[in-house]
Amino acid sequence: MDLDADLCVNGCERCPALVESRSRIVNGAGPTDADLVFVGEAPGATEDEQGEPFVGRSGTVLDDALRDAGLMRADVRITNCVRCRPPENRDPHVEELDNCRGYLAEELDRLDPELVVTLGKVPSQHLLGRSVAVTSEAGDVFDARVGETAIRLLVSVHPAATLYDRSQAETFESVILQAAELAGVGESGDGQSRLGEY
């Protein structure tokens, strides 16, 4: 059985506004046995076009931070709270987040990662179920539940924040290093760089 194909959502029409604005459903990408999972809010224009999460400018920031932590994109799973691009890249509405939550819960349940990193305010608040001050809580670890699944969650600023506010870059990079360490992957996790395998 192909677990990755099993985790793909096809043909969902629960959110009329998103069905209208998307060109495709953007499912999670990366290994189905990843110890480290990153969760963003929703696809943007580039992601909608290419069908993969975090492939625009934010994705480049994330890739660079992963590399600095001794990881590659292929080592981690990247997904979103909402799998369809909201119109004009607006934040997903609460009902859209709720409509898609079951898909994310199923994905996290099947993956059973060591650590989930929320990228920005929307996924942090959605998964923790409360208001989150991302800049002051970045780097904090919490126990959370998504559906029936208990997860260990690390709050991070969104990689896009580093593009508009350079002071956020250091915060973001240190959280990614912390994530690799907590999940036991990358250079800090086991003393070996996965880059050596390539």
Side-chain angles (χ1 to χ4, degrees):
M1 181 174 81
D2 180 359
L3 181 59
D4 200 36
D6 230 28
L7 292 173
C8 285
V9 176
N10 300 301
C12 179
E13 299 197 346
R14 292 178 186 171
C15 307
L18 300 193
V19 170
E20 202 170 299
S21 66
R22 74 183 185 208
S23 61
R24 73 187 78 218
I25 294 172
V26 180
N27 287 296
T32 54
D33 61 351
D35 287 325
L36 188 51
V37 175
F38 292 90
V39 179
E41 61 184 66
T46 311
E47 291 76 14
D48 180 67
E49 190 181 293
Q50 295 184 26
E52 190 173 327
F54 283 90
V55 288
R57 289 174 66 204
S58 295
T60 303
V61 173
L62 178 58
D63 289 348
D64 289 348
L66 288 171
R67 189 184 59 241
D68 291 346
L71 291 165
M72 296 179 68
R73 180 179 276 259
D75 297 323
V76 302
R77 181 93 178 171
I78 305 172
T79 192
N80 280 304
C81 292
V82 169
R83 294 177 187 236
C84 300
R85 180 190 180 202
E88 310 299 318
N89 283 354
R90 65 160 168 75
D91 286 351
H93 294 154
V94 171
E95 60 272 17
E96 293 164 349
L97 288 161
D98 290 345
N99 283 343
C100 225
R101 191 176 175 99
Y103 298 136
L104 181 61
E106 174 75 8
E107 187 172 18
L108 295 176
D109 182 56
R110 302 287 283 281
L111 294 169
D112 191 28
E114 290 293 321
L115 185 70
V116 173
V117 181
T118 50
L119 298 171
K121 190 179 190 92
V122 171
S124 300
Q125 293 190 159
H126 182 57
L127 296 188
L128 288 172
R130 63 172 175 80
S131 180
V132 175
V134 176
T135 46
S136 58
E137 293 187 60
D140 291 353
V141 180
F142 301 96
D143 291 321
R145 289 197 83 76
V146 184
E148 298 300 308
T149 306
I151 59 168
R152 190 163 58 144
L153 183 151
L154 174 66
V155 173
S156 174
V157 296
H158 194 283
T162 69
L163 298 170
Y164 310 109
D165 179 358
R166 289 305 301 158
S167 69
Q168 297 291 334
E170 196 175 314
T171 301
F172 180 69
E173 288 157 13
S174 71
V175 170
I176 300 305
L177 280 168
Q178 181 186 355
E181 197 170 307
L182 288 170
V185 297
E187 285 176 352
S188 53
D190 56 13
Q192 297 176 356
S193 169
R194 295 219 181 165
L195 295 175
E197 296 171 15
Y198 297 95

